[in-house]
Amino acid sequence: FPLALLKRVPMNNFIVPLVFAIGLCLPHSAALGVETRPEDAAQPAADEWIALVDAGKYVESWEKMSPGFKKKVSKRKWKSTVTEIRKPLGKVVSRKPKSAEHTKELPGAPEGEYVVARFDTAFENKPSAVETITLSRGPDLIWRVSSYSVK
């Protein structure tokens, strides 16, 4: 590129498009360099799902569960099971994350991507409980709940 030609081109005509082009590249390069931990990637799915359960929207919570879970447990069975689990506990008073663990193997489950999230939860009728939400990542790379328990 001849330097003499640059002297004839107003700087704004050259700088603005260059800065714009660099700006377009930055988000892509930053996104490529940042890898999200599976525990962090699964958290929004767990939060959205448990909010449905907390609101008593058990059918909607079943709809958001993993395909493998839905094959084993019918919508009707899930609704009755989760009602039996949650109704005696009363409303959630507080919930704090306890742990989240990424694993590729779970007893009785096929090899895959899993996150086991545990929460210290206080319910109206059970002030000290541990909720466990297991999420699995499907072939579509979406995290979905595959099991739930309260102890």
Side-chain angles (χ1 to χ4, degrees), residues 37-40 42-43 46 97-107 109 113-119 130-137 143-149:
R37 293 176 345 127
E39 297 89 331
D40 297 333
Q43 190 64 47
K98 180 177 180 151
S99 65
E101 180 183 344
H102 174 247
T103 184
K104 293 183 184 250
E105 296 178 1
L106 284 177
E113 295 282 329
Y114 299 96
V115 169
V116 180
R118 290 184 179 83
F119 300 86
V130 175
E131 288 179 293
T132 302
I133 300 173
T134 303
L135 299 104
S136 58
R137 190 167 75 164
W143 289 97
R144 292 182 181 86
V145 174
S146 56
S147 73
Y148 172 70
S149 67

PDB file of all heavy atoms in Angstrom, residues 37-40 42-43 46 97-107 109 113-119 130-137 143-149:
ATOM      1  N   ARG A  37     -17.365 -23.378  32.724  1.00  0.00           N
ATOM      2  CA  ARG A  37     -17.369 -24.630  33.474  1.00  0.00           C
ATOM      3  C   ARG A  37     -18.760 -25.272  33.354  1.00  0.00           C
ATOM      4  O   ARG A  37     -19.768 -24.560  33.367  1.00  0.00           O
ATOM      5  CB  ARG A  37     -17.081 -24.374  34.955  1.00  0.00           C
ATOM      6  CG  ARG A  37     -15.712 -23.883  35.256  1.00  0.00           C
ATOM      7  CD  ARG A  37     -15.484 -23.551  36.732  1.00  0.00           C
ATOM      8  NE  ARG A  37     -16.685 -23.438  37.540  1.00  0.00           N
ATOM      9  CZ  ARG A  37     -16.895 -24.113  38.686  1.00  0.00           C
ATOM     10  NH1 ARG A  37     -15.986 -24.914  39.157  1.00  0.00           N
ATOM     11  NH2 ARG A  37     -18.010 -23.946  39.364  1.00  0.00           N
ATOM     12  N   PRO A  38     -18.834 -26.595  33.246  1.00  0.00           N
ATOM     13  CA  PRO A  38     -20.146 -27.249  33.152  1.00  0.00           C
ATOM     14  C   PRO A  38     -21.067 -26.887  34.319  1.00  0.00           C
ATOM     15  O   PRO A  38     -22.267 -26.722  34.133  1.00  0.00           O
ATOM     16  CB  PRO A  38     -19.797 -28.741  33.162  1.00  0.00           C
ATOM     17  CG  PRO A  38     -18.408 -28.800  32.637  1.00  0.00           C
ATOM     18  CD  PRO A  38     -17.733 -27.550  33.120  1.00  0.00           C
ATOM     19  N   GLU A  39     -20.493 -26.768  35.515  1.00  0.00           N
ATOM     20  CA  GLU A  39     -21.295 -26.419  36.694  1.00  0.00           C
ATOM     21  C   GLU A  39     -21.967 -25.060  36.494  1.00  0.00           C
ATOM     22  O   GLU A  39     -23.135 -24.873  36.860  1.00  0.00           O
ATOM     23  CB  GLU A  39     -20.430 -26.378  37.957  1.00  0.00           C
ATOM     24  CG  GLU A  39     -19.807 -27.704  38.328  1.00  0.00           C
ATOM     25  CD  GLU A  39     -18.437 -27.951  37.686  1.00  0.00           C
ATOM     26  OE1 GLU A  39     -18.155 -27.426  36.574  1.00  0.00           O
ATOM     27  OE2 GLU A  39     -17.648 -28.684  38.287  1.00  0.00           O
ATOM     28  N   ASP A  40     -21.249 -24.114  35.905  1.00  0.00           N
ATOM     29  CA  ASP A  40     -21.802 -22.785  35.660  1.00  0.00           C
ATOM     30  C   ASP A  40     -22.800 -22.808  34.501  1.00  0.00           C
ATOM     31  O   ASP A  40     -23.808 -22.112  34.533  1.00  0.00           O
ATOM     32  CB  ASP A  40     -20.682 -21.784  35.363  1.00  0.00           C
ATOM     33  CG  ASP A  40     -19.740 -21.604  36.548  1.00  0.00           C
ATOM     34  OD1 ASP A  40     -20.165 -21.807  37.704  1.00  0.00           O
ATOM     35  OD2 ASP A  40     -18.556 -21.281  36.316  1.00  0.00           O
ATOM     36  N   ALA A  42     -24.731 -25.258  33.624  1.00  0.00           N
ATOM     37  CA  ALA A  42     -25.959 -25.963  34.000  1.00  0.00           C
ATOM     38  C   ALA A  42     -26.819 -25.175  34.983  1.00  0.00           C
ATOM     39  O   ALA A  42     -28.022 -25.420  35.097  1.00  0.00           O
ATOM     40  CB  ALA A  42     -25.607 -27.328  34.601  1.00  0.00           C
ATOM     41  N   GLN A  43     -26.227 -24.217  35.684  1.00  0.00           N
ATOM     42  CA  GLN A  43     -26.929 -23.503  36.746  1.00  0.00           C
ATOM     43  C   GLN A  43     -28.225 -22.814  36.310  1.00  0.00           C
ATOM     44  O   GLN A  43     -29.243 -22.943  36.987  1.00  0.00           O
ATOM     45  CB  GLN A  43     -25.984 -22.484  37.408  1.00  0.00           C
ATOM     46  CG  GLN A  43     -26.553 -21.856  38.671  1.00  0.00           C
ATOM     47  CD  GLN A  43     -26.770 -22.865  39.775  1.00  0.00           C
ATOM     48  OE1 GLN A  43     -25.901 -23.664  40.061  1.00  0.00           O
ATOM     49  NE2 GLN A  43     -27.945 -22.854  40.391  1.00  0.00           N
ATOM     50  N   ALA A  46     -30.994 -25.331  36.138  1.00  0.00           N
ATOM     51  CA  ALA A  46     -31.419 -25.767  37.478  1.00  0.00           C
ATOM     52  C   ALA A  46     -32.289 -24.696  38.130  1.00  0.00           C
ATOM     53  O   ALA A  46     -33.337 -25.012  38.712  1.00  0.00           O
ATOM     54  CB  ALA A  46     -30.200 -26.075  38.344  1.00  0.00           C
ATOM     55  N   PRO A  97     -26.822 -22.488  47.513  1.00  0.00           N
ATOM     56  CA  PRO A  97     -26.009 -23.521  46.862  1.00  0.00           C
ATOM     57  C   PRO A  97     -25.023 -24.132  47.856  1.00  0.00           C
ATOM     58  O   PRO A  97     -24.402 -23.419  48.640  1.00  0.00           O
ATOM     59  CB  PRO A  97     -25.257 -22.756  45.766  1.00  0.00           C
ATOM     60  CG  PRO A  97     -26.033 -21.498  45.559  1.00  0.00           C
ATOM     61  CD  PRO A  97     -26.670 -21.185  46.874  1.00  0.00           C
ATOM     62  N   LYS A  98     -24.944 -25.449  47.840  1.00  0.00           N
ATOM     63  CA  LYS A  98     -24.015 -26.170  48.720  1.00  0.00           C
ATOM     64  C   LYS A  98     -22.810 -26.670  47.926  1.00  0.00           C
ATOM     65  O   LYS A  98     -21.671 -26.493  48.322  1.00  0.00           O
ATOM     66  CB  LYS A  98     -24.749 -27.335  49.381  1.00  0.00           C
ATOM     67  CG  LYS A  98     -23.906 -28.154  50.309  1.00  0.00           C
ATOM     68  CD  LYS A  98     -24.727 -29.245  50.978  1.00  0.00           C
ATOM     69  CE  LYS A  98     -23.842 -30.039  51.899  1.00  0.00           C
ATOM     70  NZ  LYS A  98     -24.568 -30.605  53.006  1.00  0.00           N
ATOM     71  N   SER A  99     -23.091 -27.306  46.783  1.00  0.00           N
ATOM     72  CA  SER A  99     -22.016 -27.816  45.936  1.00  0.00           C
ATOM     73  C   SER A  99     -22.561 -28.078  44.539  1.00  0.00           C
ATOM     74  O   SER A  99     -23.761 -28.206  44.340  1.00  0.00           O
ATOM     75  CB  SER A  99     -21.436 -29.115  46.516  1.00  0.00           C
ATOM     76  OG  SER A  99     -22.412 -30.144  46.496  1.00  0.00           O
ATOM     77  N   ALA A 100     -21.643 -28.157  43.594  1.00  0.00           N
ATOM     78  CA  ALA A 100     -21.982 -28.535  42.220  1.00  0.00           C
ATOM     79  C   ALA A 100     -20.783 -29.310  41.688  1.00  0.00           C
ATOM     80  O   ALA A 100     -19.649 -28.857  41.791  1.00  0.00           O
ATOM     81  CB  ALA A 100     -22.258 -27.318  41.360  1.00  0.00           C
ATOM     82  N   GLU A 101     -21.068 -30.486  41.180  1.00  0.00           N
ATOM     83  CA  GLU A 101     -19.992 -31.367  40.742  1.00  0.00           C
ATOM     84  C   GLU A 101     -20.267 -31.872  39.327  1.00  0.00           C
ATOM     85  O   GLU A 101     -21.349 -32.388  39.039  1.00  0.00           O
ATOM     86  CB  GLU A 101     -19.910 -32.541  41.715  1.00  0.00           C
ATOM     87  CG  GLU A 101     -18.853 -33.553  41.405  1.00  0.00           C
ATOM     88  CD  GLU A 101     -18.904 -34.724  42.401  1.00  0.00           C
ATOM     89  OE1 GLU A 101     -19.522 -34.600  43.465  1.00  0.00           O
ATOM     90  OE2 GLU A 101     -18.324 -35.760  42.055  1.00  0.00           O
ATOM     91  N   HIS A 102     -19.281 -31.723  38.465  1.00  0.00           N
ATOM     92  CA  HIS A 102     -19.375 -32.222  37.098  1.00  0.00           C
ATOM     93  C   HIS A 102     -18.807 -33.635  37.063  1.00  0.00           C
ATOM     94  O   HIS A 102     -17.783 -33.913  37.670  1.00  0.00           O
ATOM     95  CB  HIS A 102     -18.582 -31.309  36.160  1.00  0.00           C
ATOM     96  CG  HIS A 102     -18.502 -31.829  34.769  1.00  0.00           C
ATOM     97  ND1 HIS A 102     -17.321 -32.257  34.204  1.00  0.00           N
ATOM     98  CD2 HIS A 102     -19.449 -32.008  33.826  1.00  0.00           C
ATOM     99  CE1 HIS A 102     -17.555 -32.655  32.968  1.00  0.00           C
ATOM    100  NE2 HIS A 102     -18.828 -32.521  32.715  1.00  0.00           N
ATOM    101  N   THR A 103     -19.505 -34.526  36.375  1.00  0.00           N
ATOM    102  CA  THR A 103     -19.020 -35.898  36.232  1.00  0.00           C
ATOM    103  C   THR A 103     -19.479 -36.453  34.894  1.00  0.00           C
ATOM    104  O   THR A 103     -20.444 -35.969  34.306  1.00  0.00           O
ATOM    105  CB  THR A 103     -19.502 -36.784  37.399  1.00  0.00           C
ATOM    106  OG1 THR A 103     -18.924 -38.083  37.263  1.00  0.00           O
ATOM    107  CG2 THR A 103     -21.017 -36.904  37.426  1.00  0.00           C
ATOM    108  N   LYS A 104     -18.781 -37.488  34.440  1.00  0.00           N
ATOM    109  CA  LYS A 104     -19.174 -38.159  33.201  1.00  0.00           C
ATOM    110  C   LYS A 104     -19.827 -39.507  33.482  1.00  0.00           C
ATOM    111  O   LYS A 104     -20.297 -40.164  32.575  1.00  0.00           O
ATOM    112  CB  LYS A 104     -17.959 -38.323  32.291  1.00  0.00           C
ATOM    113  CG  LYS A 104     -17.450 -36.987  31.788  1.00  0.00           C
ATOM    114  CD  LYS A 104     -16.301 -37.149  30.826  1.00  0.00           C
ATOM    115  CE  LYS A 104     -15.772 -35.798  30.444  1.00  0.00           C
ATOM    116  NZ  LYS A 104     -16.056 -35.421  29.091  1.00  0.00           N
ATOM    117  N   GLU A 105     -19.823 -39.910  34.762  1.00  0.00           N
ATOM    118  CA  GLU A 105     -20.414 -41.195  35.143  1.00  0.00           C
ATOM    119  C   GLU A 105     -21.270 -41.034  36.384  1.00  0.00           C
ATOM    120  O   GLU A 105     -20.868 -40.384  37.345  1.00  0.00           O
ATOM    121  CB  GLU A 105     -19.310 -42.210  35.429  1.00  0.00           C
ATOM    122  CG  GLU A 105     -18.461 -42.549  34.227  1.00  0.00           C
ATOM    123  CD  GLU A 105     -17.346 -43.533  34.561  1.00  0.00           C
ATOM    124  OE1 GLU A 105     -17.242 -43.968  35.729  1.00  0.00           O
ATOM    125  OE2 GLU A 105     -16.573 -43.857  33.651  1.00  0.00           O
ATOM    126  N   LEU A 106     -22.445 -41.651  36.346  1.00  0.00           N
ATOM    127  CA  LEU A 106     -23.334 -41.722  37.502  1.00  0.00           C
ATOM    128  C   LEU A 106     -23.830 -43.154  37.617  1.00  0.00           C
ATOM    129  O   LEU A 106     -24.088 -43.801  36.593  1.00  0.00           O
ATOM    130  CB  LEU A 106     -24.542 -40.798  37.325  1.00  0.00           C
ATOM    131  CG  LEU A 106     -24.333 -39.310  37.529  1.00  0.00           C
ATOM    132  CD1 LEU A 106     -25.632 -38.560  37.240  1.00  0.00           C
ATOM    133  CD2 LEU A 106     -23.878 -39.002  38.945  1.00  0.00           C
ATOM    134  N   PRO A 107     -23.976 -43.661  38.827  1.00  0.00           N
ATOM    135  CA  PRO A 107     -24.488 -45.029  38.989  1.00  0.00           C
ATOM    136  C   PRO A 107     -25.847 -45.199  38.298  1.00  0.00           C
ATOM    137  O   PRO A 107     -26.742 -44.390  38.482  1.00  0.00           O
ATOM    138  CB  PRO A 107     -24.623 -45.184  40.508  1.00  0.00           C
ATOM    139  CG  PRO A 107     -23.721 -44.147  41.092  1.00  0.00           C
ATOM    140  CD  PRO A 107     -23.686 -43.020  40.100  1.00  0.00           C
ATOM    141  N   ALA A 109     -26.627 -44.778  35.239  1.00  0.00           N
ATOM    142  CA  ALA A 109     -26.887 -43.888  34.108  1.00  0.00           C
ATOM    143  C   ALA A 109     -25.828 -44.129  33.027  1.00  0.00           C
ATOM    144  O   ALA A 109     -24.706 -44.516  33.338  1.00  0.00           O
ATOM    145  CB  ALA A 109     -26.836 -42.432  34.566  1.00  0.00           C
ATOM    146  N   GLU A 113     -22.528 -36.320  30.160  1.00  0.00           N
ATOM    147  CA  GLU A 113     -22.154 -35.099  30.877  1.00  0.00           C
ATOM    148  C   GLU A 113     -23.227 -34.824  31.924  1.00  0.00           C
ATOM    149  O   GLU A 113     -24.395 -34.634  31.582  1.00  0.00           O
ATOM    150  CB  GLU A 113     -22.063 -33.916  29.915  1.00  0.00           C
ATOM    151  CG  GLU A 113     -20.971 -34.040  28.884  1.00  0.00           C
ATOM    152  CD  GLU A 113     -19.593 -33.730  29.462  1.00  0.00           C
ATOM    153  OE1 GLU A 113     -19.489 -32.917  30.388  1.00  0.00           O
ATOM    154  OE2 GLU A 113     -18.627 -34.327  28.965  1.00  0.00           O
ATOM    155  N   TYR A 114     -22.820 -34.791  33.191  1.00  0.00           N
ATOM    156  CA  TYR A 114     -23.748 -34.564  34.289  1.00  0.00           C
ATOM    157  C   TYR A 114     -23.220 -33.499  35.229  1.00  0.00           C
ATOM    158  O   TYR A 114     -22.009 -33.353  35.401  1.00  0.00           O
ATOM    159  CB  TYR A 114     -23.954 -35.850  35.097  1.00  0.00           C
ATOM    160  CG  TYR A 114     -24.529 -36.983  34.291  1.00  0.00           C
ATOM    161  CD1 TYR A 114     -23.694 -37.949  33.727  1.00  0.00           C
ATOM    162  CD2 TYR A 114     -25.901 -37.098  34.086  1.00  0.00           C
ATOM    163  CE1 TYR A 114     -24.204 -38.995  32.976  1.00  0.00           C
ATOM    164  CE2 TYR A 114     -26.425 -38.150  33.333  1.00  0.00           C
ATOM    165  CZ  TYR A 114     -25.573 -39.094  32.782  1.00  0.00           C
ATOM    166  OH  TYR A 114     -26.087 -40.116  32.049  1.00  0.00           O
ATOM    167  N   VAL A 115     -24.132 -32.793  35.848  1.00  0.00           N
ATOM    168  CA  VAL A 115     -23.804 -31.903  36.951  1.00  0.00           C
ATOM    169  C   VAL A 115     -24.765 -32.249  38.081  1.00  0.00           C
ATOM    170  O   VAL A 115     -25.985 -32.284  37.890  1.00  0.00           O
ATOM    171  CB  VAL A 115     -23.940 -30.413  36.570  1.00  0.00           C
ATOM    172  CG1 VAL A 115     -23.849 -29.524  37.809  1.00  0.00           C
ATOM    173  CG2 VAL A 115     -22.857 -30.026  35.572  1.00  0.00           C
ATOM    174  N   VAL A 116     -24.191 -32.548  39.248  1.00  0.00           N
ATOM    175  CA  VAL A 116     -24.986 -32.826  40.443  1.00  0.00           C
ATOM    176  C   VAL A 116     -24.880 -31.589  41.320  1.00  0.00           C
ATOM    177  O   VAL A 116     -23.807 -31.260  41.836  1.00  0.00           O
ATOM    178  CB  VAL A 116     -24.475 -34.079  41.181  1.00  0.00           C
ATOM    179  CG1 VAL A 116     -25.322 -34.341  42.420  1.00  0.00           C
ATOM    180  CG2 VAL A 116     -24.478 -35.293  40.252  1.00  0.00           C
ATOM    181  N   ALA A 117     -26.006 -30.884  41.461  1.00  0.00           N
ATOM    182  CA  ALA A 117     -26.058 -29.651  42.247  1.00  0.00           C
ATOM    183  C   ALA A 117     -26.819 -29.913  43.538  1.00  0.00           C
ATOM    184  O   ALA A 117     -27.914 -30.474  43.515  1.00  0.00           O
ATOM    185  CB  ALA A 117     -26.736 -28.549  41.446  1.00  0.00           C
ATOM    186  N   ARG A 118     -26.210 -29.513  44.652  1.00  0.00           N
ATOM    187  CA  ARG A 118     -26.844 -29.680  45.964  1.00  0.00           C
ATOM    188  C   ARG A 118     -27.090 -28.308  46.585  1.00  0.00           C
ATOM    189  O   ARG A 118     -26.262 -27.409  46.455  1.00  0.00           O
ATOM    190  CB  ARG A 118     -25.975 -30.541  46.862  1.00  0.00           C
ATOM    191  CG  ARG A 118     -25.940 -31.980  46.409  1.00  0.00           C
ATOM    192  CD  ARG A 118     -25.138 -32.879  47.364  1.00  0.00           C
ATOM    193  NE  ARG A 118     -25.161 -34.247  46.898  1.00  0.00           N
ATOM    194  CZ  ARG A 118     -24.342 -34.745  45.965  1.00  0.00           C
ATOM    195  NH1 ARG A 118     -23.427 -33.983  45.421  1.00  0.00           N
ATOM    196  NH2 ARG A 118     -24.444 -36.006  45.587  1.00  0.00           N
ATOM    197  N   PHE A 119     -28.226 -28.210  47.272  1.00  0.00           N
ATOM    198  CA  PHE A 119     -28.615 -26.958  47.904  1.00  0.00           C
ATOM    199  C   PHE A 119     -29.005 -27.214  49.356  1.00  0.00           C
ATOM    200  O   PHE A 119     -29.693 -28.195  49.651  1.00  0.00           O
ATOM    201  CB  PHE A 119     -29.829 -26.344  47.181  1.00  0.00           C
ATOM    202  CG  PHE A 119     -29.567 -26.038  45.743  1.00  0.00           C
ATOM    203  CD1 PHE A 119     -29.744 -27.010  44.768  1.00  0.00           C
ATOM    204  CD2 PHE A 119     -29.137 -24.784  45.353  1.00  0.00           C
ATOM    205  CE1 PHE A 119     -29.495 -26.735  43.432  1.00  0.00           C
ATOM    206  CE2 PHE A 119     -28.884 -24.498  44.016  1.00  0.00           C
ATOM    207  CZ  PHE A 119     -29.058 -25.480  43.055  1.00  0.00           C
ATOM    208  N   VAL A 130     -31.482 -31.020  52.299  1.00  0.00           N
ATOM    209  CA  VAL A 130     -30.568 -30.927  51.169  1.00  0.00           C
ATOM    210  C   VAL A 130     -31.326 -31.369  49.928  1.00  0.00           C
ATOM    211  O   VAL A 130     -31.819 -32.493  49.849  1.00  0.00           O
ATOM    212  CB  VAL A 130     -29.299 -31.795  51.367  1.00  0.00           C
ATOM    213  CG1 VAL A 130     -28.431 -31.750  50.105  1.00  0.00           C
ATOM    214  CG2 VAL A 130     -28.510 -31.335  52.578  1.00  0.00           C
ATOM    215  N   GLU A 131     -31.441 -30.447  48.985  1.00  0.00           N
ATOM    216  CA  GLU A 131     -32.048 -30.767  47.696  1.00  0.00           C
ATOM    217  C   GLU A 131     -30.925 -31.126  46.737  1.00  0.00           C
ATOM    218  O   GLU A 131     -29.893 -30.456  46.696  1.00  0.00           O
ATOM    219  CB  GLU A 131     -32.794 -29.567  47.116  1.00  0.00           C
ATOM    220  CG  GLU A 131     -34.076 -29.218  47.817  1.00  0.00           C
ATOM    221  CD  GLU A 131     -34.727 -28.008  47.172  1.00  0.00           C
ATOM    222  OE1 GLU A 131     -34.148 -26.902  47.261  1.00  0.00           O
ATOM    223  OE2 GLU A 131     -35.802 -28.170  46.580  1.00  0.00           O
ATOM    224  N   THR A 132     -31.144 -32.172  45.955  1.00  0.00           N
ATOM    225  CA  THR A 132     -30.177 -32.572  44.939  1.00  0.00           C
ATOM    226  C   THR A 132     -30.865 -32.551  43.586  1.00  0.00           C
ATOM    227  O   THR A 132     -31.897 -33.203  43.398  1.00  0.00           O
ATOM    228  CB  THR A 132     -29.607 -33.976  45.223  1.00  0.00           C
ATOM    229  OG1 THR A 132     -29.008 -33.974  46.519  1.00  0.00           O
ATOM    230  CG2 THR A 132     -28.572 -34.373  44.185  1.00  0.00           C
ATOM    231  N   ILE A 133     -30.285 -31.778  42.688  1.00  0.00           N
ATOM    232  CA  ILE A 133     -30.791 -31.685  41.319  1.00  0.00           C
ATOM    233  C   ILE A 133     -29.676 -32.182  40.407  1.00  0.00           C
ATOM    234  O   ILE A 133     -28.577 -31.636  40.409  1.00  0.00           O
ATOM    235  CB  ILE A 133     -31.169 -30.246  40.938  1.00  0.00           C
ATOM    236  CG1 ILE A 133     -32.248 -29.714  41.876  1.00  0.00           C
ATOM    237  CG2 ILE A 133     -31.615 -30.171  39.478  1.00  0.00           C
ATOM    238  CD1 ILE A 133     -32.562 -28.243  41.670  1.00  0.00           C
ATOM    239  N   THR A 134     -29.958 -33.237  39.663  1.00  0.00           N
ATOM    240  CA  THR A 134     -28.978 -33.761  38.710  1.00  0.00           C
ATOM    241  C   THR A 134     -29.404 -33.317  37.319  1.00  0.00           C
ATOM    242  O   THR A 134     -30.567 -33.485  36.936  1.00  0.00           O
ATOM    243  CB  THR A 134     -28.892 -35.293  38.783  1.00  0.00           C
ATOM    244  OG1 THR A 134     -28.567 -35.664  40.126  1.00  0.00           O
ATOM    245  CG2 THR A 134     -27.851 -35.836  37.827  1.00  0.00           C
ATOM    246  N   LEU A 135     -28.456 -32.744  36.607  1.00  0.00           N
ATOM    247  CA  LEU A 135     -28.710 -32.289  35.248  1.00  0.00           C
ATOM    248  C   LEU A 135     -27.852 -33.086  34.283  1.00  0.00           C
ATOM    249  O   LEU A 135     -26.736 -33.490  34.623  1.00  0.00           O
ATOM    250  CB  LEU A 135     -28.377 -30.803  35.099  1.00  0.00           C
ATOM    251  CG  LEU A 135     -29.199 -29.883  35.994  1.00  0.00           C
ATOM    252  CD1 LEU A 135     -28.369 -29.415  37.156  1.00  0.00           C
ATOM    253  CD2 LEU A 135     -29.735 -28.721  35.208  1.00  0.00           C
ATOM    254  N   SER A 136     -28.383 -33.318  33.099  1.00  0.00           N
ATOM    255  CA  SER A 136     -27.605 -33.988  32.053  1.00  0.00           C
ATOM    256  C   SER A 136     -27.606 -33.103  30.817  1.00  0.00           C
ATOM    257  O   SER A 136     -28.568 -32.386  30.558  1.00  0.00           O
ATOM    258  CB  SER A 136     -28.191 -35.367  31.733  1.00  0.00           C
ATOM    259  OG  SER A 136     -29.530 -35.254  31.322  1.00  0.00           O
ATOM    260  N   ARG A 137     -26.497 -33.152  30.095  1.00  0.00           N
ATOM    261  CA  ARG A 137     -26.396 -32.364  28.868  1.00  0.00           C
ATOM    262  C   ARG A 137     -26.721 -33.270  27.698  1.00  0.00           C
ATOM    263  O   ARG A 137     -26.095 -34.303  27.488  1.00  0.00           O
ATOM    264  CB  ARG A 137     -25.004 -31.770  28.714  1.00  0.00           C
ATOM    265  CG  ARG A 137     -24.940 -30.754  27.585  1.00  0.00           C
ATOM    266  CD  ARG A 137     -23.696 -29.949  27.620  1.00  0.00           C
ATOM    267  NE  ARG A 137     -22.585 -30.770  27.151  1.00  0.00           N
ATOM    268  CZ  ARG A 137     -21.422 -30.277  26.769  1.00  0.00           C
ATOM    269  NH1 ARG A 137     -21.194 -29.003  26.843  1.00  0.00           N
ATOM    270  NH2 ARG A 137     -20.475 -31.076  26.342  1.00  0.00           N
ATOM    271  N   TRP A 143     -28.627 -28.284  28.859  1.00  0.00           N
ATOM    272  CA  TRP A 143     -28.689 -28.923  30.181  1.00  0.00           C
ATOM    273  C   TRP A 143     -30.144 -29.034  30.612  1.00  0.00           C
ATOM    274  O   TRP A 143     -30.902 -28.065  30.530  1.00  0.00           O
ATOM    275  CB  TRP A 143     -27.913 -28.095  31.204  1.00  0.00           C
ATOM    276  CG  TRP A 143     -26.437 -28.153  30.995  1.00  0.00           C
ATOM    277  CD1 TRP A 143     -25.666 -27.262  30.334  1.00  0.00           C
ATOM    278  CD2 TRP A 143     -25.555 -29.190  31.448  1.00  0.00           C
ATOM    279  NE1 TRP A 143     -24.346 -27.672  30.342  1.00  0.00           N
ATOM    280  CE2 TRP A 143     -24.250 -28.848  31.023  1.00  0.00           C
ATOM    281  CE3 TRP A 143     -25.730 -30.370  32.179  1.00  0.00           C
ATOM    282  CZ2 TRP A 143     -23.140 -29.641  31.294  1.00  0.00           C
ATOM    283  CZ3 TRP A 143     -24.629 -31.153  32.448  1.00  0.00           C
ATOM    284  CH2 TRP A 143     -23.350 -30.794  32.011  1.00  0.00           C
ATOM    285  N   ARG A 144     -30.521 -30.255  31.051  1.00  0.00           N
ATOM    286  CA  ARG A 144     -31.887 -30.505  31.533  1.00  0.00           C
ATOM    287  C   ARG A 144     -31.816 -31.337  32.807  1.00  0.00           C
ATOM    288  O   ARG A 144     -30.905 -32.160  32.967  1.00  0.00           O
ATOM    289  CB  ARG A 144     -32.702 -31.253  30.481  1.00  0.00           C
ATOM    290  CG  ARG A 144     -33.005 -30.441  29.251  1.00  0.00           C
ATOM    291  CD  ARG A 144     -33.863 -31.230  28.264  1.00  0.00           C
ATOM    292  NE  ARG A 144     -34.139 -30.459  27.078  1.00  0.00           N
ATOM    293  CZ  ARG A 144     -33.346 -30.392  26.012  1.00  0.00           C
ATOM    294  NH1 ARG A 144     -32.213 -31.052  25.980  1.00  0.00           N
ATOM    295  NH2 ARG A 144     -33.689 -29.666  24.970  1.00  0.00           N
ATOM    296  N   VAL A 145     -32.795 -31.162  33.667  1.00  0.00           N
ATOM    297  CA  VAL A 145     -32.849 -31.916  34.904  1.00  0.00           C
ATOM    298  C   VAL A 145     -33.184 -33.363  34.590  1.00  0.00           C
ATOM    299  O   VAL A 145     -34.085 -33.665  33.805  1.00  0.00           O
ATOM    300  CB  VAL A 145     -33.890 -31.303  35.865  1.00  0.00           C
ATOM    301  CG1 VAL A 145     -34.077 -32.167  37.108  1.00  0.00           C
ATOM    302  CG2 VAL A 145     -33.464 -29.886  36.253  1.00  0.00           C
ATOM    303  N   SER A 146     -32.447 -34.271  35.232  1.00  0.00           N
ATOM    304  CA  SER A 146     -32.702 -35.700  35.033  1.00  0.00           C
ATOM    305  C   SER A 146     -33.085 -36.405  36.330  1.00  0.00           C
ATOM    306  O   SER A 146     -33.552 -37.537  36.298  1.00  0.00           O
ATOM    307  CB  SER A 146     -31.497 -36.397  34.382  1.00  0.00           C
ATOM    308  OG  SER A 146     -30.335 -36.194  35.145  1.00  0.00           O
ATOM    309  N   SER A 147     -32.906 -35.739  37.489  1.00  0.00           N
ATOM    310  CA  SER A 147     -33.429 -36.280  38.737  1.00  0.00           C
ATOM    311  C   SER A 147     -33.469 -35.192  39.807  1.00  0.00           C
ATOM    312  O   SER A 147     -32.764 -34.173  39.701  1.00  0.00           O
ATOM    313  CB  SER A 147     -32.597 -37.475  39.229  1.00  0.00           C
ATOM    314  OG  SER A 147     -31.352 -37.053  39.739  1.00  0.00           O
ATOM    315  N   TYR A 148     -34.299 -35.459  40.828  1.00  0.00           N
ATOM    316  CA  TYR A 148     -34.490 -34.516  41.916  1.00  0.00           C
ATOM    317  C   TYR A 148     -34.785 -35.291  43.192  1.00  0.00           C
ATOM    318  O   TYR A 148     -35.533 -36.265  43.163  1.00  0.00           O
ATOM    319  CB  TYR A 148     -35.662 -33.581  41.600  1.00  0.00           C
ATOM    320  CG  TYR A 148     -36.081 -32.672  42.728  1.00  0.00           C
ATOM    321  CD1 TYR A 148     -35.268 -31.619  43.132  1.00  0.00           C
ATOM    322  CD2 TYR A 148     -37.283 -32.869  43.380  1.00  0.00           C
ATOM    323  CE1 TYR A 148     -35.654 -30.784  44.159  1.00  0.00           C
ATOM    324  CE2 TYR A 148     -37.688 -32.026  44.414  1.00  0.00           C
ATOM    325  CZ  TYR A 148     -36.871 -30.980  44.802  1.00  0.00           C
ATOM    326  OH  TYR A 148     -37.265 -30.145  45.820  1.00  0.00           O
ATOM    327  N   SER A 149     -34.189 -34.852  44.286  1.00  0.00           N
ATOM    328  CA  SER A 149     -34.500 -35.474  45.581  1.00  0.00           C
ATOM    329  C   SER A 149     -34.342 -34.453  46.689  1.00  0.00           C
ATOM    330  O   SER A 149     -33.657 -33.440  46.530  1.00  0.00           O
ATOM    331  CB  SER A 149     -33.603 -36.681  45.845  1.00  0.00           C
ATOM    332  OG  SER A 149     -32.253 -36.263  46.014  1.00  0.00           O
TER     333      SER A 149
END
